[in-house]
Amino acid sequence: MTTYQVRLRSREEIADRTMAFHLEKPAGFQFKPGQYIDLALINPFETDSQGIVRTFSIASAPYEDELLVATRMRDSAFKRVLAALPLGTELKLDGPMGSFTLHRNTAKAAVFLASGIGITPFLSIVREAAKQKLNHQLYLFYSNRRPEDAPFLAALQDLSQSNPHFIFIPSMTEMERSKRNWLGERGFIDREMLVKHFCDLSGPIYYVAGPPAMVAAMQQMLAKAGVSEDDIRTEEFSGY
Ligand SMILES: Cc1cc2nc3c(=O)[nH]c(=O)nc-3n(C[C@H](O)[C@H](O)[C@H](O)COP(=O)(O)OP(=O)(O)OC[C@H]3O[C@@H](n4cnc5c(N)ncnc54)[C@H](O)[C@@H]3O)c2cc1C
């Protein structure tokens, strides 16, 4: 792991109360899709007891010329500062870290289970897989309350159209509160939803990322369905 100073290039809202931050990629910075970084504010104009560092999965893919992170904009001093930083401001970056990366055996499918902001490591993995034309069969189950809340929904739909190895199954849990139309799945990710899309639940390697409660719920669901612990990999976004 190395420490870098990187500039904020741009930021935009990508879903309800959710922002993406585009950072310079330092020369020589190499990472694997699924890894994360620590970002620290330098002399922020305000702080609170939670401090000036947060961990973020890298949502961009290694082939891209920038680093992308995305986060739910909760009311912490860190996020208020991040939302207001003048473009070009430097941040301290430590990384890359983590081993939440795609297995090598292309004969085994990968099943990604994400909700909300837990999508970030998977976006990096599926973008890089498409670019490198990897032969793994990839399934991404992605649950959100409404399409309005779902970061990168359109980008992922596009990717699944262009990559026959990538099956994308987004699901909405509160369409009654949405202003959009939705023809896809509804409800939380559960055993029935998985079985509908592939028959043998014990074949693939499962990857789960998100807030600790979501990770625990998915682990429990998979264990009940008879999936071996050895085939389940998790990344907890502690702090939510
Ligand atoms: C491996 C990993 C990957 C993550 N990826 C993402 C992501 O892609 N997008 C995203 O939105 N969130 C991600 N998180 C969670 C993120 O780091 C924040 O905890 C979360 O966004 C809540 O921050 P907050 O300012 O809204 O809340 P707050 O309540 O202000 O902060 C949450 C708590 O976590 C602590 N904390 C968070 N990060 C760190 C850190 N790096 N070092 C020390 N303490 C810390 C804070 O001090 C505080 O106690 C990830 C976490 C981990 C561990």
Side-chain angles (χ1 to χ4, degrees):
M1 186 180 68
T2 316
T3 300
Y4 303 87
Q5 306 244 112
V6 296
R7 286 183 196 281
L8 175 64
R9 275 187 178 174
S10 63
R11 74 186 139 226
E12 80 261 6
E13 192 167 70
I14 51 166
D16 198 18
R17 279 167 290 146
T18 309
M19 292 192 75
F21 296 86
H22 301 256
L23 308 168
E24 269 176 4
K25 183 151 94 172
F29 184 85
Q30 290 191 342
F31 70 99
K32 291 189 181 150
Q35 286 194 296
Y36 60 85
I37 53 175
D38 275 350
L39 274 186
L41 302 169
I42 301 171
N43 300 321
F45 59 77
E46 63 161 328
T47 54
D48 62 16
S49 59
Q50 310 297 349
I52 57 165
V53 184
R54 292 293 183 281
T55 305
F56 295 109
S57 299
I58 304 171
S60 50
Y63 76 85
E64 295 177 277
D65 73 349
E66 62 169 13
L67 296 176
L68 178 68
V69 297
T71 189
R72 296 289 198 209
M73 296 310 287
R74 305 197 319 178
D75 196 25
S76 60
F78 180 96
K79 291 186 177 175
R80 283 196 297 273
V81 172
L82 198 60
L85 280 184
L87 299 184
T89 302
E90 287 197 318
L91 297 152
K92 188 162 89 62
L93 181 159
D94 278 313
M97 292 171 273
S99 53
F100 191 65
T101 55
L102 188 62
H103 58 274
R104 281 163 188 259
N105 180 0
T106 58
K108 271 195 173 285
V111 176
F112 306 127
L113 307 182
S115 70
I117 202 63
I119 195 65
T120 47
F122 300 130
L123 184 68
S124 179
I125 292 173
V126 298
R127 278 183 169 169
E128 187 72 10
K131 177 76 176 173
Q132 305 300 341
K133 298 196 164 32
L134 295 186
N135 282 323
H136 298 75
Q137 188 63 44
L138 309 175
Y139 296 87
L140 171 57
F141 292 83
Y142 182 29
S143 90
N144 281 274
R145 293 196 171 110
R146 307 166 303 159
E148 292 91 323
D149 302 308
F152 307 115
L153 182 62
L156 288 161
Q157 280 165 332
D158 287 351
L159 262 173
S160 74
Q161 303 279 313
S162 58
N163 179 4
H165 294 299
F166 173 46
I167 313 290
F168 182 45
I169 306 108
S171 183
M172 300 300 153
T173 60
E174 291 184 18
M175 276 313 288
E176 64 281 4
R177 290 180 44 242
S178 173
K179 295 200 171 70
R180 299 200 202 158
N181 283 330
W182 184 250
L183 299 173
E185 292 279 359
R186 292 186 185 218
F188 293 102
I189 301 167
D190 59 12
R191 182 194 175 133
E192 288 65 43
M193 198 186 288
L194 298 182
V195 170
K196 219 165 117 182
H197 294 274
F198 50 90
C199 334
D200 181 12
L201 290 194
S202 62
I205 307 278
Y206 293 82
Y207 297 79
V208 190
M214 179 266 177
V215 171
M218 291 295 105
Q219 271 178 314
Q220 233 174 30
M221 182 269 288
L222 292 171
K224 266 198 188 155
V227 174
S228 158
E229 253 181 50
D230 290 347
D231 294 336
I232 307 173
R233 303 185 185 174
T234 61
E235 189 75 291
E236 286 193 5
F237 286 12
S238 53
Y240 275 113

